Amino acid sequence: KKKKKKRKETPDPSASTDAVYDSIDSLRRAAEQNDALAQHHLGVCIATGQQGVEKSEMEAVKWFRRAAEQDYAPALYSMGICFDKGEGVEQDDVEAAKWYRRAADQGYAQAQYNLGVRFANGQGVAKDEAEAVKWYRRAAEQDHTMAQYNLG
Protein backbone atom coordinates (compact mmCIF):
# COMPACT_ATOMS: atom_id res chain seq x y z
CA LYS A 1 0.00 0.00 0.00
CA LYS A 2 1.40 3.37 -1.03
CA LYS A 3 1.80 5.79 1.85
CA LYS A 4 0.27 9.21 1.22
CA LYS A 5 2.69 12.10 1.64
CA LYS A 6 1.76 14.76 4.15
CA ARG A 7 1.80 18.41 3.17
CA LYS A 8 4.68 20.31 4.72
CA GLU A 9 3.76 23.30 6.85
CA THR A 10 6.51 25.71 5.77
CA PRO A 11 8.21 24.33 2.68
CA ASP A 12 11.12 25.90 0.89
CA PRO A 13 9.44 27.72 -2.02
CA SER A 14 12.14 26.44 -4.36
CA ALA A 15 11.52 22.84 -3.31
CA SER A 16 10.05 20.39 -5.77
CA THR A 17 6.29 20.05 -5.61
CA ASP A 18 6.80 16.26 -5.52
CA ALA A 19 7.72 16.53 -1.85
CA VAL A 20 4.51 18.37 -1.02
CA TYR A 21 1.79 16.87 -3.25
CA ASP A 22 1.29 13.37 -4.66
CA SER A 23 0.71 14.56 -8.23
CA ILE A 24 0.11 17.62 -10.37
CA ASP A 25 -3.59 16.72 -10.23
CA SER A 26 -3.66 16.83 -6.42
CA LEU A 27 -1.70 20.09 -6.56
CA ARG A 28 -4.20 21.61 -9.00
CA ARG A 29 -7.17 20.40 -6.89
CA ALA A 30 -5.69 22.00 -3.77
CA ALA A 31 -4.96 25.23 -5.69
CA GLU A 32 -8.53 25.37 -6.95
CA GLN A 33 -9.71 24.98 -3.33
CA ASN A 34 -7.86 28.21 -2.47
CA ASP A 35 -4.81 26.61 -0.82
CA ALA A 36 -2.19 29.40 -1.06
CA LEU A 37 0.76 26.98 -0.87
CA ALA A 38 -0.68 24.90 -3.70
CA GLN A 39 -1.51 27.98 -5.74
CA HIS A 40 2.06 29.22 -5.46
CA HIS A 41 3.57 25.83 -6.29
CA LEU A 42 1.24 25.45 -9.25
CA GLY A 43 2.34 28.89 -10.43
CA VAL A 44 5.99 27.78 -10.17
CA CYS A 45 5.23 24.62 -12.17
CA ILE A 46 3.45 26.64 -14.85
CA ALA A 47 6.14 29.36 -14.96
CA THR A 48 8.90 26.79 -15.44
CA GLY A 49 7.09 24.01 -17.28
CA GLN A 50 7.76 21.51 -14.44
CA GLN A 51 5.72 18.36 -13.84
CA GLY A 52 4.72 18.14 -17.49
CA VAL A 53 2.66 21.33 -17.26
CA GLU A 54 2.59 23.62 -20.28
CA LYS A 55 4.73 26.68 -19.60
CA SER A 56 2.79 29.97 -19.48
CA GLU A 57 3.98 33.11 -17.71
CA MET A 58 0.51 34.69 -17.81
CA GLU A 59 -1.13 31.61 -16.29
CA ALA A 60 1.61 31.45 -13.63
CA VAL A 61 0.90 35.07 -12.64
CA LYS A 62 -2.78 34.18 -12.20
CA TRP A 63 -1.87 31.53 -9.62
CA PHE A 64 0.80 33.66 -7.93
CA ARG A 65 -1.74 36.48 -7.59
CA ARG A 66 -4.37 34.17 -6.07
CA ALA A 67 -1.87 33.03 -3.44
CA ALA A 68 -0.62 36.60 -2.93
CA GLU A 69 -4.19 37.74 -2.25
CA GLN A 70 -3.94 35.52 0.84
CA ASP A 71 -0.70 37.29 1.88
CA TYR A 72 1.39 34.18 1.26
CA ALA A 73 4.95 35.64 1.37
CA PRO A 74 6.55 33.41 -1.32
CA ALA A 75 3.73 34.37 -3.71
CA LEU A 76 4.11 38.06 -2.87
CA TYR A 77 7.80 37.68 -3.71
CA SER A 78 6.99 35.80 -6.93
CA MET A 79 4.69 38.64 -7.99
CA GLY A 80 7.60 41.01 -7.39
CA ILE A 81 9.80 38.88 -9.63
CA CYS A 82 7.14 38.87 -12.36
CA PHE A 83 6.90 42.67 -12.37
CA ASP A 84 10.67 43.00 -11.99
CA LYS A 85 11.35 40.90 -15.09
CA GLY A 86 8.16 41.52 -17.05
CA GLU A 87 7.19 37.85 -16.96
CA GLY A 88 3.46 37.42 -17.58
CA VAL A 89 2.87 41.11 -16.84
CA GLU A 90 4.25 44.37 -18.18
CA GLN A 91 7.60 45.15 -16.55
CA ASP A 92 7.03 47.75 -13.81
CA ASP A 93 9.68 48.71 -11.24
CA VAL A 94 7.20 50.48 -8.96
CA GLU A 95 4.88 47.45 -8.85
CA ALA A 96 7.83 45.11 -8.29
CA ALA A 97 8.94 47.19 -5.30
CA LYS A 98 5.39 47.14 -3.85
CA TRP A 99 5.20 43.33 -4.04
CA TYR A 100 8.73 42.91 -2.65
CA ARG A 101 7.85 45.20 0.26
CA ARG A 102 4.76 43.16 1.14
CA ALA A 103 6.84 39.97 1.25
CA ALA A 104 9.73 41.75 3.02
CA ASP A 105 7.37 43.04 5.71
CA GLN A 106 6.56 39.39 6.46
CA GLY A 107 10.25 38.63 6.96
CA TYR A 108 10.90 36.99 3.58
CA ALA A 109 14.70 37.32 3.30
CA GLN A 110 15.03 37.29 -0.50
CA ALA A 111 12.38 40.01 -0.78
CA GLN A 112 14.17 42.03 1.90
CA TYR A 113 17.39 41.75 -0.10
CA ASN A 114 15.68 42.68 -3.39
CA LEU A 115 14.03 45.66 -1.71
CA GLY A 116 17.43 46.73 -0.38
CA VAL A 117 18.85 46.58 -3.90
CA ARG A 118 15.97 48.71 -5.16
CA PHE A 119 16.56 51.36 -2.50
CA ALA A 120 20.30 51.32 -3.19
CA ASN A 121 19.69 51.88 -6.91
CA GLY A 122 16.53 54.00 -6.78
CA GLN A 123 14.70 51.39 -8.83
CA GLY A 124 10.92 51.78 -8.43
CA VAL A 125 11.49 53.68 -5.17
CA ALA A 126 13.38 56.85 -4.24
CA LYS A 127 17.10 56.15 -3.81
CA ASP A 128 17.77 55.87 -0.08
CA GLU A 129 20.99 54.33 1.24
CA ALA A 130 19.74 54.18 4.85
CA GLU A 131 16.64 52.30 3.76
CA ALA A 132 18.78 49.95 1.63
CA VAL A 133 20.97 49.18 4.65
CA LYS A 134 17.89 48.56 6.80
CA TRP A 135 16.56 45.93 4.36
CA TYR A 136 19.99 44.37 3.77
CA ARG A 137 20.42 44.08 7.54
CA ARG A 138 17.06 42.33 7.95
CA ALA A 139 17.95 39.83 5.20
CA ALA A 140 21.49 39.39 6.55
CA GLU A 141 20.09 38.51 9.98
CA GLN A 142 18.51 35.51 8.22
CA ASP A 143 21.88 34.49 6.76
CA HIS A 144 21.21 35.93 3.30
CA THR A 145 24.73 35.84 1.85
CA MET A 146 24.40 38.64 -0.72
CA ALA A 147 22.82 40.96 1.85
CA GLN A 148 25.74 40.23 4.20
CA TYR A 149 28.16 40.96 1.35
CA ASN A 150 26.41 44.26 0.51
CA LEU A 151 26.70 45.33 4.13
CA GLY A 152 30.47 44.76 3.97
Side-chain angles (χ1 to χ4, degrees):
K1 188 175 179 180
K2 189 176 177 185
K3 200 173 188 180
K4 191 172 182 177
K5 293 178 184 174
K6 280 188 169 182
R7 195 177 120 198
K8 293 181 182 177
E9 288 301 313
T10 53
D12 175 2
S14 63
S16 166
T17 56
D18 300 359
V20 183
Y21 296 94
D22 292 340
S23 68
I24 194 68
D25 292 331
S26 66
L27 176 63
R28 191 174 295 276
R29 277 192 303 278
E32 288 167 354
Q33 292 172 3
N34 222 25
D35 178 324
L37 173 68
Q39 290 168 337
H40 182 253
H41 277 299
L42 183 58
V44 170
C45 287
I46 294 169
T48 59
Q50 291 178 15
Q51 306 291 319
V53 175
E54 185 177 335
K55 187 175 177 176
S56 168
E57 292 174 352
M58 290 178 70
E59 182 74 6
V61 167
K62 176 186 119 176
W63 289 107
F64 291 151
R65 191 178 300 274
R66 285 183 66 183
E69 286 168 356
Q70 298 178 64
D71 284 326
Y72 183 59
L76 295 168
Y77 170 75
S78 292
M79 286 298 299
I81 291 290
C82 291
F83 279 103
D84 196 353
K85 298 184 179 203
E87 295 176 351
V89 292
E90 190 172 323
Q91 198 281 333
D92 185 328
D93 287 334
V94 173
E95 276 298 306
K98 287 178 187 176
W99 289 104
Y100 287 147
R101 182 181 291 274
R102 287 181 63 192
D105 284 342
Q106 288 190 33
Y108 199 77
Q110 185 63 43
Q112 292 170 335
Y113 169 75
N114 285 19
L115 195 55
V117 169
R118 291 186 162 272
F119 276 109
N121 298 324
Q123 189 179 8
V125 293
K127 189 171 183 172
D128 185 333
E129 283 297 322
E131 196 70 9
V133 168
K134 174 182 104 174
W135 289 108
Y136 287 150
R137 190 167 285 130
R138 289 183 182 177
E141 287 168 358
Q142 297 182 68
D143 298 323
H144 191 285
T145 309
M146 289 303 297
Q148 292 169 340
Y149 176 81
N150 285 1
L151 288 169

